[in-house]
Amino acid sequence: MTNLSPSPDGHVADAVKGNWVDTYAPAATRPYLRLSRADRPIGTWLLLLPCWWGLVLAMLHDQSPRWEDAWIAIGCALGAWLMRGAGCTWNDITDRDFDDKVERTRSRPIPSGQVSVRGAVAWMCAQALIAFGILLTFHINAILLGVLALVPVAVYPFAKRFTWWPQVFLGLAFNWGALLAWTAHTGKLEAPAVVLYLAGIAWTLFYDTIYAHQDTEDDALIGIKSTARLFGANTAPWLRRFLMATVGLMGIAVIFAMLDEASVLALVIALGGPWAMGWHMAWQLRGLDIENPDKCLQLFRSNRDTGMIPLVFFCAALLV
């Protein structure tokens, strides 16, 4: 096993070497930015992309894009960065007694001593309050949904203690933006957004099971549950099921959203999104090696592109 012990300069083991935090950020800010995973941006993308799916699909639903949507897109981006940071900080606070026992996570700021628990709590609250200020610029129903999102965020770090399916709780939290952004545009939560949300949860089960295979040995030693440990050698068949659920549910969401108002050509283009996304997920499956942590991390990170694919198709459909 590769030695991933804490680095003297504070570099976190699973961050890309030469990332902007380690290279350019002022030294005093680096421990807090690492706590927010700013040195590992994939999580922000995975939180943001469902927001943009929901927003663009809502625009396709009512065929009424407007300038306000530009702010919703920007606000979601800022909010995703902040709330991913706050959520990761909360996760590290609750997991501090586990992280120092897992090879990949013992270099994180709290177990490595870069940040105190009190400092982490203050940093978490600061990020959450700024995100709340952004949320207040949205429709009232979106604001209420944003507040409700704190429930799955708060529960997720504890899920691996009581269920073999903590990835479901991550999916509930990470795809909430599909509901929020749809509602920010339309003013109400509707069925297509809910189905899109379920598609996102299936996608999260896919990519986070791959991610969790990095830690199965350490997790078994300290009693942490995950779908990676649950599935074991049967992971690939389960991932195929999550792939099919993702593609099928997203396709249904597109049809529900566009059938009444959009043109046939726009509908066909938008349906190309989940189809192409499914092919990218199939490519990941072909390269999967659950015994190779580096490969698992590489495939996990590739899901930024996976989630970007349907967004490109949805935006193209807007132009028709």
Side-chain angles (χ1 to χ4, degrees):
M1 181 180 295
T2 304
N3 182 9
L4 299 177
S5 298
S7 169
D9 62 2
H11 175 83
V12 177
D14 55 357
V16 176
K17 293 189 184 304
N19 65 78
W20 75 272
V21 173
D22 293 346
T23 306
Y24 301 111
T29 67
R30 290 175 187 172
Y32 296 94
L33 291 171
R34 291 169 183 144
L35 196 60
S36 296
R37 311 287 199 275
D39 53 349
R40 285 153 287 169
I42 178 60
T44 299
W45 282 110
L46 296 176
L47 187 62
L48 172 60
L49 287 167
C51 300
W52 284 351
W53 294 348
L55 173 61
V56 180
L57 199 60
M59 294 160 69
L60 288 166
H61 171 66
D62 62 14
Q63 294 292 295
S64 180
R66 46 189 181 270
W67 284 111
E68 179 188 349
D69 295 322
W71 166 244
I72 296 173
I74 294 169
C76 284
L78 296 172
W81 193 89
L82 289 161
M83 285 308 298
R84 190 263 183 140
C88 287
T89 304
W90 171 240
N91 184 79
D92 284 8
I93 291 169
T94 60
D95 280 359
R96 61 189 183 277
D97 294 330
F98 290 121
D99 282 348
D100 64 354
K101 298 178 178 65
V102 176
E103 192 73 17
R104 184 179 58 83
T105 59
R106 66 182 53 166
S107 58
R108 287 178 177 176
I110 294 177
S112 65
Q114 297 177 59
V115 178
S116 67
V117 174
R118 180 177 295 182
V121 170
W123 178 238
M124 176 185 69
C125 292
Q127 294 171 97
L129 285 172
I130 297 171
F132 183 64
I134 295 170
L135 180 66
L136 290 176
T137 66
F138 290 172
H139 189 280
I140 182 61
N141 290 334
I143 295 171
L144 295 175
L145 276 172
V147 173
L148 189 60
L150 293 176
V151 175
V153 171
V155 171
Y156 166 66
F158 301 100
K160 55 183 169 287
R161 295 160 167 82
F162 63 80
T163 177
W164 287 101
W165 294 82
Q167 280 69 27
V168 171
F169 288 85
L170 181 68
L172 291 170
F174 257 57
N175 295 282
W176 199 271
L179 306 176
L180 192 152
W182 174 286
T183 305
H185 172 86
T186 65
K188 56 186 176 181
L189 182 59
E190 297 172 281
V194 175
V195 180
L196 185 66
Y197 178 55
L198 295 176
I201 293 172
W203 178 44
T204 302
L205 280 161
F206 180 91
Y207 66 66
D208 204 59
T209 298
I210 294 174
Y211 182 80
H213 267 289
Q214 297 176 89
D215 300 325
T216 50
E217 292 182 10
D218 288 329
D219 287 351
L221 288 174
I222 59 180
I224 289 178
K225 299 178 174 67
S226 71
T227 49
R229 286 190 61 207
L230 178 64
F231 303 154
N234 292 319
T235 290
W238 277 98
L239 294 183
R240 288 190 193 95
R241 295 180 185 120
F242 299 145
L243 185 164
M244 290 187 290
T246 302
V247 173
L249 288 166
M250 187 178 288
I252 293 170
V254 169
I255 293 170
F256 280 3
M258 299 180 63
L259 197 57
D260 290 338
E261 299 292 337
S263 68
V264 173
L265 179 58
L267 177 59
V268 170
I269 292 172
L271 284 172
W275 175 81
M277 182 183 186
W279 278 108
H280 194 275
M281 294 168 75
W283 166 80
Q284 292 182 56
L285 266 177
R286 286 195 297 272
L288 179 66
D289 179 359
I290 63 173
E291 303 298 330
N292 185 339
D294 291 338
K295 186 64 175 179
C296 289
L297 182 59
Q298 177 194 354
L299 291 174
F300 167 74
R301 287 174 173 163
S302 75
N303 278 278
R304 180 202 63 176
D305 298 340
T306 313
M308 193 70 75
I309 289 169
L311 180 65
V312 170
F313 278 83
F314 293 170
C315 290
L318 267 179
L319 301 177
V320 175

